[in-house]
Amino acid sequence: MTEKKGDFKLVGIKLYSKTTNQNLQSSIDCGELWKKFETDKIFDVIADKLSNEVYAVYFGYEKDETTPFSYFIGCKVEKNSETPKELDELMIPTQEYSKFTAKGVMTGCVADAWKKIWNSDTERKFGFDFEVYDERSQDWSNAEVDIYVSTSDLPHKNLAILK
């Protein structure tokens, strides 16, 4: 079953070059970006957050999960909000999604969920896929993280990074 989500804006930080799932490189690169997000207290720098949810977004796929892609971590804000100079913004277009929920010990439960998604018969479109970290993900020994995988053929402009 799919669900449609309207477009929204995120403010946060991004990898400045693409990463890949080859040789576990994305685990290293994305892990380093998470460390920066925590160490630099990016969550606290983002003004006008619409919630306390943190989004981790996979986008800019060259083809599929076996090829390079971009990665972004941030929070949802009003579309007309000002983005601080030291941060990046990302517009997520309206898309159809299949929703999956990772449950268990972090970060392994999320990695395991992605492996299941990669091996599922979900017709992925490799648009903007994201994980949502909310209050259910705070207990790392018993976490829940929703994963939204783009599945639609809805036309969208390549809005990726605006700044």
Side-chain angles (χ1 to χ4, degrees):
M1 184 164 135
T2 62
E3 73 181 73
K4 183 178 181 175
K5 287 196 167 287
D7 63 328
F8 57 93
K9 177 180 174 179
L10 299 173
V11 169
I13 56 176
K14 66 177 178 178
L15 286 179
Y16 283 95
S17 61
K18 289 190 175 187
T19 189
T20 176
N21 287 319
Q22 303 302 314
N23 301 316
L24 301 175
Q25 188 61 47
S26 65
S27 295
I28 296 165
D29 295 340
C30 298
E32 288 297 318
L33 195 65
W34 274 106
K35 281 182 195 162
K36 179 175 175 51
F37 189 84
E38 295 293 323
T39 303
D40 294 355
K41 300 189 181 326
I42 302 298
F43 182 87
D44 297 333
V45 176
I46 301 169
D48 305 322
K49 289 183 284 292
L50 295 177
S51 73
N52 288 329
E53 297 171 336
V54 176
Y55 289 72
V57 186
Y58 305 81
F59 65 101
Y61 294 94
E62 291 185 5
K63 182 180 176 201
D64 58 25
E65 74 271 2
T66 66
T67 60
F69 58 89
S70 298
Y71 189 69
F72 181 97
I73 302 169
C75 299
K76 193 185 285 190
V77 298
E78 292 289 345
K79 290 178 192 167
N80 60 355
S81 69
E82 191 89 11
T83 300
K85 279 183 259 186
E86 67 274 17
L87 298 181
D88 302 295
E89 61 185 47
L90 182 68
M91 288 297 298
I92 307 297
T94 299
Q95 297 182 125
E96 291 281 339
Y97 295 94
S98 286
K99 179 181 170 185
F100 300 85
T101 301
K103 295 181 182 181
V105 178
M106 291 285 279
T107 57
C109 68
V110 174
D112 291 344
W114 276 108
K115 287 175 191 163
K116 288 177 185 166
I117 292 166
W118 295 337
N119 292 310
S120 74
D121 59 0
T122 301
E123 279 198 46
R124 296 185 60 197
K125 298 303 177 193
F126 299 97
F128 292 76
D129 303 328
F130 57 87
E131 301 156 356
V132 180
Y133 294 86
D134 57 22
E135 64 281 345
R136 299 170 302 140
S137 63
Q138 300 302 309
D139 177 0
W140 275 42
S141 62
N142 185 27
E144 283 189 36
V145 176
D146 291 330
I147 302 173
Y148 292 84
V149 176
S150 59
T151 58
S152 97
D153 279 327
L154 289 174
H156 68 275
K157 299 175 188 135
N158 192 1
L159 297 175
I161 299 297
L162 296 176
K163 175 182 164 195

